Amino acid sequence: MSERKVSSEDSMSSGEGEEERVPLRERPEWSDVTPVPQDDGPDPVVPIKYTEEFAEVMSYFRAIYLSDERSPRALTLTAEAIHFNAGNYTVWHFRRLLLESLKVDLHNELDFVERMATANSKNYQIWHHRRWVAEKLGPKARNNELDFTKRILSIDAKHYHAWSHRQWVLQALGGWEDELSYCSELLEADIFNNSAWNQRYFVVTRSPFLGGLEATRESEVLYTVQAIMARPENESSWRYLRGLYKGATASWVNDPQVSEVCLKILNSKSNYLFALSTLLDLLCSGFQTNQEFRDAVEALMTSDLDKEDPDIARNVCSVLQHVDPIRANYWNWRKSRLPQTA
Amino acid sequence: MDPSNPRSSIIPTVTERDQWMVESQVFEIYKVLSTIPQNAQSLMLELQRHNHISYLTKSLSHLPSSFSILDANRPWLCYWIIHSIALLGESLDYQLQHNAIHFLNRCQDPNGGYAGGPGQMPHLATTYAAVNVLITLGGHKAFTSINRDKLYGFLRRMKQPNGGFRMHDEGEIDARACYTAISVASVLNILDDKLIQNVGDYILSCQTYEGGIAGEPGAEAHGGYTFCGLAAMVLIGEVNRLDLPRLVDWVVFRQGKECGFQGRTNKLVDGCYSFWQGGAIALLQRLYSVVEEQMAEASQISPKSDGTSGDATCHFTHGGTGEPGFSDFKNIGYNFINEWRARDPLFHSIALQQYILLCSQEQEGGLRDKPGKRRDHYHTCYCLSGLSLCQYSWSKNPDSPPLPKVVLGPYSNLLEPIHPLYNIVLERYREAHEFFFAQS
């Protein structure tokens, strides 16, 4: 919901690689500005014991923000304020106004954002700003943006903001050509990376070169079934498989590749939770079983579990309740809502 | 699931390695619990009320300079702290209440909405936080300090043609913005057709193939956005447009063997999702009839009837897609708790309480993401909110005291119940509802 992590250190870095930081009040170029202190009132709650430098930079910022001063020194000041607190959206907003008014070369701005992102990448403002800059630069920014997000994702492969930014770049500036292989690369490194699966779905459903779900289904199902066979305990691949048939329930129910992979995993008798839950969904959507499925499910029923129940869907729920106790309430509810004739 | 996995010789991936590290820490703690005598267990499961209150109250009057990075989130800090104190059944003394109202008023923009701090731009998230704080504080002075006309104007200015909202002037558009705008408008009784227009389309476009809801169309299903999207859909009377069976399935699978919730598939458990995911389930628990209707439609076979019907949902399911302007969305928030009659929870409430009390709680006060992490106000707020949801998850109406067996640890762990759509302590919500619905 909002930035939440507070570092334990009390140290504040003030700009980068600086020697001795000169206070603004001692800088001649600021001598004509009267700083505006924060109006917290006489007895504020959640008062922050700002460092002197922080309070001073923000007081000068308030002064130029209130007078709407569009100057190079104002731009420099916003950078200082952002260094102290990259979460101040008002400062970022004013910085964008300055970048526009001063017609600044936005390539330099990308470097600035990247330095900020390396220090504190889980911050809405940085990414919103980055998107704004890239949008201004247009298609020529594309490769740079794709590389930039790749760098962030090489450190944290599930970085939510980085993925959102990358998706925006693809949609607004293009660069879809290599995206599917990038997803495969990430999944090869970590098949449990759900963000990479999500990106894969994004690509197959939205890339202008692949023709959408229906056109890619065959090859994607093949890929996913292999992934499931390799690691049947991986929820990501099972959800992806289901997603490939979004809006095409009948194809999903009737595609033997889906039911067969369930059966194979069930027969292996290990890591079969998702196979079983998929089978339940299939049954609820009208899948007609045969003896093989009934045998596979019965083989999973421990002796203490059940007397014979002719209904395979009920048996599936019973096994799920037993092997997945954290979701016992859920399976119990599913059991109570089974279609009559399944 | 199976430790005798024949594939264990494979080199673990980053996801597996991280997961196993957390699991071993968590299971270590649970092992201790299982080996100690019962009275010691009860002690171990005790909510350290006194220490939490002390941690929270101190922060209300003093924060060190490291909090400068939250200088644009001060109404949030107020909310995390004051809501937590209210959950613990305590009130601020008169002076602190007065100070909080005055401080938030300095964050209120002359043109509507609340900023992250005095002199900053108004922002939807901090507006949500500030309004929830003022309702939690309660009383005429707090309520009348909110300029509802101007606030409505601010919400309208943030409204986008695609149905979404911007967080601030020229700011980002996402599911969080939809929720905070709709929640505030609903609770202050300023919700109207103009604010609602196309919100449902936007949130629908954020529901992913997994079943959960993402921040933006195309992004990954995520606990925080799922709560936001689902709550917003309920509040505008369009929840039946979501694929609810898939949403339920996704969210119940976010509770793992660590007993807590993760935010996304194959990510690590985090105490704050006790509320975001647990809250989504608490909402779904009151929407059984809509979910079951969708399930029956999907199977195209008439469902077995178990004789139960007519839960709270009947009053806020019509009109969403059909007749525009017909739905009585103004009363949805109120009806939601008045016609409670909830059925059994769909998650493991005792397990979640165990995670919160043993893994998220710091004995010295404050709650955290997971063992090894440090406490903070955000996690304190959302772990306690989740704990409250658990404790009342079996209650047949929202504020009847739960049976001791559903409250893990000593019964003195019991917190105040919340309104799950707004995350405001229920009795504080009721007072505000009475006030704002007496206004035009």
Side-chain angles (χ1 to χ4, degrees):
Chain A
M1 289 287 290
S2 90
E3 289 69 51
R4 62 197 209 199
K5 307 261 154 70
V6 179
S7 74
S8 49
E9 296 84 24
D10 235 17
S11 65
M12 296 295 300
S13 93
S14 43
E16 327 123 80
E18 77 272 57
E19 313 79 64
E20 199 60 358
R21 185 178 177 279
V22 181
L24 287 157
R25 61 180 180 279
E26 289 170 21
R27 298 185 206 173
E29 72 270 27
W30 285 102
S31 58
D32 60 316
V33 173
T34 311
V36 178
Q38 177 158 289
D39 182 18
D40 252 16
D43 298 297
V45 289
V46 293
I48 298 169
K49 200 170 185 307
Y50 305 115
T51 61
E52 211 177 295
E53 294 94 332
F54 183 97
E56 191 198 37
V57 166
M58 291 314 296
S59 297
Y60 277 82
F61 171 76
R62 272 184 290 273
I64 56 136
Y65 179 63
L66 286 170
S67 65
D68 196 18
E69 180 187 309
R70 312 282 177 102
S71 66
R73 71 173 179 183
L75 187 68
T76 316
L77 187 64
T78 57
E80 281 199 56
I82 287 165
H83 273 116
F84 279 114
N85 174 19
N88 192 317
Y89 56 90
T90 307
V91 178
W92 282 107
H93 176 75
F94 191 59
R95 184 173 176 85
R96 285 189 285 276
L97 296 179
L98 291 166
L99 291 169
E100 278 195 314
S101 305
L102 302 173
K103 302 194 170 57
V104 176
D105 178 2
L106 291 176
H107 289 98
N108 300 332
E109 192 64 7
L110 291 177
D111 297 336
F112 173 72
V113 180
E114 179 145 6
R115 285 199 303 278
M116 298 311 308
T118 328
N120 175 19
S121 66
K122 302 238 158 124
N123 159 312
Y124 285 96
Q125 285 69 41
I126 288 173
W127 291 95
H128 181 59
H129 190 75
R130 182 91 190 186
R131 197 181 287 197
W132 181 86
V133 175
E135 190 166 26
K136 292 269 167 203
L137 289 170
K140 62 175 186 271
R142 171 216 289 179
N143 292 343
N144 195 21
E145 291 314 286
L146 292 175
D147 290 346
F148 169 64
T149 46
K150 238 183 210 180
R151 281 196 295 280
I152 302 278
L153 294 170
S154 70
I155 303 161
D156 176 0
K158 302 174 182 178
H159 194 296
Y160 205 82
H161 294 293
W163 279 116
S164 284
H165 185 68
R166 191 171 177 90
Q167 294 191 340
W168 174 83
V169 173
L170 290 167
Q171 285 181 305
L173 311 176
W176 294 94
E177 295 81 351
D178 302 324
E179 198 62 9
L180 195 63
S181 53
Y182 178 53
C183 295
S184 301
E185 211 177 284
L186 288 177
L187 289 173
E188 193 157 324
D190 185 350
I191 203 167
F192 296 93
N193 180 350
N194 194 61
S195 305
W197 283 103
N198 186 76
Q199 184 71 353
R200 192 173 185 98
Y201 196 80
F202 178 78
V203 176
V204 300
T205 50
R206 298 185 194 227
S207 164
F209 302 109
L210 297 177
L213 265 187
E214 248 176 89
T216 47
R217 188 171 295 141
E218 202 184 312
S219 56
E220 284 304 292
V221 168
L222 206 66
Y223 177 88
T224 311
V225 165
Q226 277 175 359
I228 289 173
M229 292 305 293
R231 308 307 298 267
E233 74 274 38
N234 182 7
E235 185 181 345
S236 297
S237 45
W238 286 98
R239 289 207 180 268
Y240 185 80
L241 181 66
R242 174 77 182 263
L244 292 175
Y245 298 88
K246 199 169 163 75
T249 307
S251 311
W252 174 66
V253 173
N254 296 318
D255 192 335
Q257 295 179 95
V258 176
S259 47
E260 271 165 21
V261 72
C262 289
L263 188 63
K264 274 186 198 151
I265 303 301
L266 293 177
N267 283 332
S268 79
K269 294 193 178 181
S270 79
N271 293 317
Y272 54 79
L273 172 61
F274 297 111
L276 214 45
S277 116
T278 303
L279 177 58
L280 178 63
D281 289 344
L282 285 170
L283 291 168
C284 290
S285 298
F287 174 67
Q288 300 297 315
T289 56
N290 55 34
Q291 196 56 43
E292 273 190 294
F293 282 89
R294 283 189 286 273
D295 290 345
V297 171
E298 261 166 45
L300 299 173
M301 299 179 73
T302 48
S303 52
D304 56 315
L305 240 179
D306 260 52
K307 18 5 182 192
E308 287 284 290
D309 193 318
D311 187 351
I312 181 172
R314 290 183 58 81
N315 287 339
V316 168
C317 290
S318 300
V319 178
L320 283 166
Q321 277 175 290
H322 186 72
V323 299
D324 189 29
I326 197 111
R327 270 166 287 281
N329 294 346
Y330 176 63
W331 300 124
N332 191 38
W333 172 66
R334 290 290 301 271
K335 200 178 195 173
S336 76
R337 307 305 306 177
L338 293 173
Q340 208 133 39
T341 55
Chain B
M1 301 291 309
D2 186 358
S4 62
N5 184 349
R7 294 182 189 81
S8 53
S9 56
I10 297 173
I11 304 162
T13 72
V14 174
T15 300
E16 287 178 297
R17 202 195 54 213
D18 292 350
Q19 175 65 21
W20 294 344
M21 264 154 58
V22 173
E23 278 178 21
S24 72
Q25 275 181 302
V26 168
F27 295 162
E28 196 62 40
I29 295 170
Y30 295 162
K31 206 171 87 190
V32 173
L33 181 78
S34 66
T35 52
I36 59 175
Q38 194 149 18
N39 56 342
Q41 281 185 355
S42 176
L43 214 62
M44 198 174 160
L45 290 165
E46 191 178 330
L47 184 68
Q48 301 298 322
R49 282 176 176 274
H50 178 77
N51 293 348
H52 297 318
I53 292 279
S54 148
Y55 162 64
L56 294 161
T57 315
K58 272 184 205 148
S59 308
L60 208 50
S61 320
H62 172 82
L63 294 168
S65 65
S66 56
F67 279 79
S68 296
I69 58 165
L70 290 175
D71 188 45
N73 291 276
R74 288 177 70 196
W76 270 125
L77 284 163
C78 292
Y79 173 66
W80 299 331
I81 294 170
I82 292 171
H83 178 55
S84 297
I85 292 173
L87 280 164
L88 289 158
E90 301 281 328
S91 291
L92 303 185
D93 67 42
Y94 175 80
Q95 188 58 46
L96 270 175
Q97 286 190 36
H98 171 91
N99 294 350
I101 295 168
H102 278 263
F103 173 71
L104 290 173
N105 215 25
R106 283 170 198 274
C107 298
Q108 187 166 209
D109 192 88
N111 291 312
Y114 290 80
Q120 300 173 25
M121 294 162 63
H123 190 288
L124 270 177
T126 45
T127 298
Y128 166 85
V131 166
N132 277 9
V133 172
L134 290 163
I135 290 174
T136 302
L137 293 171
H140 190 265
K141 199 164 76 178
F143 295 155
T144 53
S145 75
I146 304 168
N147 190 333
R148 288 158 78 231
D149 291 342
K150 295 282 187 192
L151 179 47
Y152 176 78
F154 170 62
L155 297 178
R156 285 292 301 279
R157 291 197 299 282
M158 297 305 108
K159 179 82 189 167
Q160 298 302 301
N162 70 355
F165 287 84
R166 287 194 185 276
M167 293 304 295
H168 59 86
D169 185 18
E170 311 268 317
E172 64 274 20
I173 305 167
D174 59 29
R176 214 171 33 127
C178 292
Y179 169 66
T180 49
I182 296 295
S183 171
V184 161
S186 166
V187 81
L188 295 177
N189 192 22
I190 52 175
L191 193 59
D192 68 5
D193 285 320
K194 292 199 176 86
L195 290 175
I196 285 178
Q197 201 168 34
N198 298 336
V199 169
D201 293 345
Y202 182 79
I203 291 172
L204 209 55
S205 70
C206 294
Q207 185 171 26
T208 86
Y209 69 92
E210 289 193 76
I213 298 171
E216 302 178 73
E220 187 181 357
H222 180 286
Y225 297 115
T226 298
F227 174 82
C228 288
L230 178 63
M233 286 300 252
V234 173
L235 286 170
I236 63 172
E238 298 185 24
V239 73
N240 55 343
R241 297 180 64 193
L242 290 167
D243 183 344
L244 293 172
R246 295 305 295 157
L247 181 50
V248 174
D249 188 79
W250 178 81
V251 78
V252 297
F253 267 99
R254 306 285 58 77
Q255 189 171 21
K257 50 189 144 179
E258 317 85 326
C259 296
F261 279 97
Q262 62 186 182
R264 301 181 247 161
T265 307
N266 285 333
K267 286 272 285 175
L268 298 175
V269 64
D270 178 339
C272 75
Y273 295 112
S274 307
F275 177 76
W276 300 120
Q277 307 283 22
I281 298 187
L283 298 179
L284 291 163
Q285 196 182 336
R286 272 116 215 147
L287 299 168
Y288 271 112
S289 69
V290 197
V291 185
E292 288 168 359
E293 213 172 285
Q294 288 191 2
M295 285 165 79
E297 271 168 34
S299 64
Q300 290 171 327
I301 305 160
S302 66
K304 282 174 190 166
S305 174
D306 56 1
T308 58
S309 66
D311 50 29
T313 54
C314 51
H315 285 261
F316 42 85
T317 56
H318 340 281
T321 47
E323 312 92 315
F326 170 76
S327 57
D328 186 15
F329 50 76
K330 278 187 178 291
N331 290 314
I332 287 174
Y334 188 66
N335 291 342
F336 199 79
I337 49 157
N338 257 12
E339 292 149 27
W340 190 262
R341 270 178 284 160
R343 284 168 36 198
D344 295 352
L346 288 166
F347 69 115
H348 201 307
S349 153
I350 292 290
L352 181 57
Q353 294 180 61
Q354 182 172 313
Y355 181 80
I356 295 170
L357 293 167
L358 294 182
C359 300
S360 285
Q361 182 172 219
E362 286 198 17
Q363 295 299 307
E364 304 71 34
L367 292 97
R368 63 191 174 192
D369 164 348
K370 59 173 71 61
K373 298 273 182 170
R374 295 197 50 158
R375 68 181 180 189
D376 60 52
H377 303 97
Y378 167 86
H379 283 92
T380 302
C381 167
Y382 289 107
C383 288
L384 290 177
S385 303
L387 186 59
S388 167
L389 287 174
C390 289
Q391 293 171 339
Y392 294 89
S393 62
W394 292 90
S395 300
K396 292 298 167 211
N397 62 65
D399 28 20
S400 57
L403 293 172
K405 67 171 182 192
V406 306
V407 177
L408 187 66
Y411 197 70
S412 60
N413 280 1
L414 188 66
L415 297 170
E416 295 297 314
I418 58 169
H419 192 311
L421 284 167
Y422 309 108
N423 198 11
I424 295 172
V425 164
L426 201 54
E427 66 160 317
R428 317 285 175 98
Y429 163 78
R430 286 222 168 90
E431 187 198 343
H433 176 266
E434 204 169 300
F435 181 87
F436 292 114
F437 280 70
Q439 323 273 303
S440 67

